[in-house]
Amino acid sequence: MSQDTLNFIFIGLTFAVYVVIAVRSRASSTKEYYTAGGGVSPFANGMATAADWMSAATFISMAGGIAASGYDASRFLMGWTGGFVLLTVLMVPYLRKFGKATVPDFLGDRYYSKLARGVGVICAIFICMTYIMGQMNGVGVVFSQLFGISLTKGVLIGGFIVFFYAGLGGMKGITYTQVAQYCVMAFAYTIPAVFIAIAMTNNVIPQFGLIGEYTAGSGDPVPFLQKLDSLNTELGFDRYTEGKMSTIDMFCVTAALMFGTAGLPHVIVRFFTVKNVKAVRKSACWTLLFIGVIYLTAPTIGAFARVNLIESLHQTPYKEAPAWLSDFEQTDQMAWVDKNGDGKIQYYGPAKSDSGKNSVFQAKKPIYPADSAPLEQRIGVNGERLLSVKADMTNPNELWFGKDIMVMANPQMAGLPKWVIALLMAGCIAAALSTAAGLLLVLSTSISHDLMKKIVKPNLSDKEEVRYARIASFVALSIAAWFGINPPSTFIAETVALAFGLAASSFFPTLLMGIFSKRVNKEGAIAGMICGIGFTIGYIIYFQFLDAPKDQLLLGISPAGIGFVGMLINFAVTFIVSAFTPPPPKEVQEMVESIHIPSGASEASHH
């Protein structure tokens, strides 16, 4: 049986399960649409939350980043994991006690202001749109590889599927679909890692293989990490176990990811699907356990992929290269330019270049001749796919690959059984679709419930509210699909990191102060959110979209880390403005005091 056939069988079966669940769990009320009726068990919600968390950035991109940059990519592991601990300790028990299922809903009541609610809606839209554009890019990468089509077509196919089961089932349908998706993802992530660990290190447990010995070579066994370091340095890269990011940028990016996690609306709302605060805490423990399965495996996958890539391709004649290289060329995920005309693939780092770069061509990503161009302009003498951009001849590196492809390429590079590859493809699709659906729901909720119901048309019926939510889903997904095709970064995790910066600079300080400070008032909260997210968005646009010179970065902090500075601005502005304006009403101060008491939490409210 061919690989494509197996892929379609595995993916078809999992999709059939998702669709059946979405149809059978279709939301019939706003409470079911927004919070799944509030009756999900902690175990199921923990699994669903983990699936919501295992986005394309985590499942596909994080291990790819680890494969490409080694230690520097640990910022994603530390930031996202630490942030979830902050979320479960500082945020969700108190927000759940308050009883409002959406962040703008909390802001509107806590800060006794429609304007605060409106600013919250705008912040939620910016955060979720930035996040979902990364997810849609991941959807496109997976579907383009699966069907051998362009990224654009892959995004459109994936977008249609997301809209179908997110718009139809609401939170109720998404919750139980994500339970199934987590099961698929967990097996798809760990089983290939076990196979590769056995082949490379003779260890059944991948984590032990990472700190064990590399036994696959013809020589004596050597420590696996030592093997990685030597491979990197021989080719002109930095040591795999050492980073090259500046300390301040590493700190700021990690902090932005951490505090941004604690302010993500689509994760916060998941804890309103359980019955009470006690169930929230149990659900959080289950979630951390399920997340740990993936996060403890990601470093091993990244490291194994790095070795496989170098061993499979470096100094290999193109005509003798594995078939998967050509497959990834056809889907724009890998490219080779024969700079020296020897017909061999050379993969070198910046240290092998006088210019200090290892770029293959003079563009951010491969650009190809039109399909109507003559054959000699599209196919090279060795059978490779030719580019229409000029080669960068200032360095000897000839191989380009998208970081996001490494997880999907790893089993093929390691020569694993076809069914393992098919299982991984099903897991990649589950990861990309699960978070995109959750984000889409938050976006539609912010518009239909927090904007239309609470501000514009208070007399909106339940049926009309759900209809507005589904219309908002379609519009939001259309915009996200365009950005998925034209993302601000070719690296999914980098695009998603921008969303965390926006959440850190807007929601995290305002939520934290709203929970623990009785003195913070509406004037301070509104001013803080506007200044924090305004500064962060401006910085991101200037450096990420307008390609401003990197020497102009503030203290060398990249756009992915500037959210931490925006957060500090938010805190400072909120405290200063609150100090010079009247305190909140007495009933609001008493409400803040009451949410610190563990007992007496009410059911989640959707109105």
Side-chain angles (χ1 to χ4, degrees):
M1 188 178 295
S2 70
Q3 183 64 65
D4 287 344
T5 302
L6 271 176
N7 288 347
F8 288 124
I9 290 175
F10 273 71
I11 292 168
L13 289 173
T14 55
F15 261 60
V17 172
Y18 304 156
V19 171
V20 168
I21 292 173
V23 172
R24 290 178 62 88
S25 305
R26 181 173 181 173
S28 58
S29 67
T30 54
K31 187 174 183 179
E32 289 187 344
Y33 194 89
Y34 296 143
T35 63
V40 181
S41 72
F43 180 84
N45 190 59
M47 198 174 288
T49 306
D52 212 351
W53 188 239
M54 297 305 159
S55 64
T58 300
F59 193 93
I60 301 171
S61 197
M62 183 169 65
I66 294 171
S69 54
Y71 174 82
D72 281 341
S74 64
R75 63 191 185 274
F76 297 112
L77 286 166
M78 295 185 292
W80 286 334
T81 308
F84 200 87
V85 176
L86 282 179
L87 176 71
T88 55
V89 173
L90 294 179
M91 293 291 183
V92 290
Y94 304 102
L95 293 175
R96 181 64 182 81
K97 174 68 184 296
F98 192 83
K100 298 299 179 180
T102 70
V103 172
D105 222 2
F106 170 82
L107 297 178
D109 285 11
R110 165 58 182 86
Y111 295 107
Y112 49 98
S113 168
K114 284 188 176 182
L115 181 58
R117 185 189 303 275
V119 172
V121 170
I122 293 171
C123 290
I125 291 172
F126 272 109
I127 292 165
C128 293
M129 284 304 300
T130 306
Y131 204 142
I132 200 172
M133 69 175 69
Q135 304 311 310
M136 294 309 297
N137 184 239
V139 168
V141 169
V142 175
F143 276 94
S144 66
Q145 198 57 49
L146 174 65
F147 296 110
I149 56 179
S150 67
L151 179 71
T152 299
K153 293 178 181 177
V155 169
L156 295 176
I157 292 173
F160 173 78
I161 295 169
V162 170
F163 176 75
F164 174 76
Y165 72 76
L168 179 68
M171 180 58 80
K172 185 178 180 182
I174 286 175
T175 295
Y176 294 107
T177 299
Q178 286 176 334
V179 170
Q181 286 171 330
Y182 176 80
C183 296
V184 173
M185 284 188 279
F187 285 111
Y189 213 66
T190 55
I191 289 177
V194 169
F195 273 81
I196 299 173
I198 294 172
M200 283 192 170
T201 67
N202 280 330
N203 268 292
V204 176
I205 301 175
Q207 292 80 4
F208 289 169
L210 184 66
I211 60 175
E213 292 188 329
Y214 178 74
T215 59
S218 56
D220 294 331
V222 297
F224 185 81
L225 292 176
Q226 180 182 320
K227 171 71 173 179
L228 264 175
D229 281 340
S230 63
L231 279 175
N232 265 24
T233 54
E234 287 171 9
L235 297 179
F237 294 94
D238 294 315
R239 288 168 60 89
Y240 189 84
T241 54
E242 295 179 1
K244 64 178 181 179
M245 285 182 69
S246 67
T247 302
I248 187 170
D249 193 28
M250 184 74 166
F251 173 83
C252 286
V253 173
T254 304
L257 295 173
M258 185 177 296
F259 295 115
T261 297
L264 283 179
H266 78 286
V267 178
I268 290 173
V269 75
R270 285 239 52 96
F271 292 97
F272 285 83
T273 63
V274 294
K275 293 181 179 179
N276 50 41
V277 174
K278 182 179 179 181
V280 165
R281 297 186 187 278
K282 288 182 179 180
S283 178
C285 290
W286 281 115
T287 302
L288 285 169
L289 176 64
F290 292 133
I291 286 175
V293 173
I294 305 295
Y295 271 61
L296 291 174
T297 308
T300 68
I301 292 177
F304 295 156
R306 182 69 177 174
V307 173
N308 276 329
L309 178 76
I310 295 171
E311 297 282 3
S312 300
L313 296 182
H314 182 59
Q315 293 295 0
T316 300
Y318 181 86
K319 293 182 178 180
E320 299 176 12
W324 50 261
L325 173 60
S326 178
D327 293 338
F328 287 119
E329 276 186 304
Q330 298 307 311
T331 54
D332 307 348
Q333 297 301 324
M334 284 190 174
W336 173 61
V337 178
D338 192 10
K339 294 182 180 180
N340 57 12
D342 66 353
K344 293 183 179 180
I345 302 167
Q346 274 92 31
Y347 180 48
Y348 289 116
K352 293 291 185 180
S353 165
D354 294 334
S355 65
K357 301 186 299 181
N358 71 320
S359 52
V360 178
F361 38 77
Q362 299 176 21
K364 290 185 178 181
K365 60 182 181 180
I367 301 174
Y368 300 95
D371 292 340
S372 58
L375 184 64
E376 60 271 16
Q377 293 181 16
R378 293 184 287 112
I379 305 297
V381 295
N382 297 290
E384 75 276 19
R385 190 179 182 189
L386 296 178
L387 306 178
S388 60
V389 289
K390 292 183 179 180
D392 186 344
M393 302 303 293
T394 63
N395 65 84
N397 181 40
E398 299 179 343
L399 179 66
W400 178 91
F401 61 91
K403 299 177 187 177
D404 300 322
I405 203 65
M406 295 308 294
V407 169
M408 285 184 279
N410 203 20
Q412 298 185 54
M413 291 190 290
L416 298 189
K418 292 179 180 180
W419 68 267
V420 176
I421 298 171
L423 176 62
L424 179 65
M425 292 298 291
C428 288
I429 290 176
L433 296 182
S434 62
T435 302
L439 287 164
L440 193 63
L441 183 66
V442 170
L443 267 170
S444 63
T445 301
S446 296
I447 294 170
S448 65
H449 177 66
D450 298 309
L451 181 62
M452 298 300 297
K453 175 76 172 180
K454 292 290 187 174
I455 299 176
V456 179
K457 296 179 66 175
N459 296 322
L460 211 63
S461 68
D462 276 10
K463 187 175 182 180
E464 290 175 320
E465 192 177 340
V466 172
R467 185 169 69 248
Y468 272 111
R470 286 170 177 154
I471 293 171
S473 294
F474 178 78
V475 174
L477 191 61
S478 300
I479 298 171
W482 189 89
F483 279 107
I485 297 167
N486 304 280
S489 172
T490 56
F491 183 32
I492 294 171
E494 205 67 53
T495 300
V496 169
L498 302 178
F500 284 79
L502 296 177
S505 63
S506 58
F507 282 157
F508 176 75
T510 312
L511 290 172
L512 190 69
M513 290 183 286
I515 291 169
F516 294 103
S517 173
K518 293 187 289 184
R519 180 62 182 82
V520 172
N521 58 20
K522 64 180 180 180
E523 292 86 357
I526 293 168
M529 280 192 290
I530 291 173
C531 291
I533 199 169
F535 168 79
T536 305
I537 289 175
Y539 194 93
I540 289 172
I541 290 174
Y542 186 63
F543 287 102
Q544 197 73 37
F545 290 90
L546 302 181
D547 293 324
K550 301 303 180 186
D551 57 6
Q552 296 182 15
L553 289 169
L554 175 65
L555 301 176
I557 301 172
S558 65
I562 201 61
F564 176 68
V565 179
M567 182 191 76
L568 298 180
I569 292 173
N570 188 332
F571 272 118
V573 170
T574 302
F575 277 123
I576 292 171
V577 173
S578 295
F580 288 94
T581 49
K586 184 179 179 180
E587 61 269 20
V588 172
Q589 297 186 44
E590 292 174 349
M591 177 177 63
V592 172
E593 185 70 31
S594 70
I595 64 175
H596 299 160
I597 302 171
S599 62
S602 62
E603 294 295 322
S605 171
H606 61 290
H607 289 298

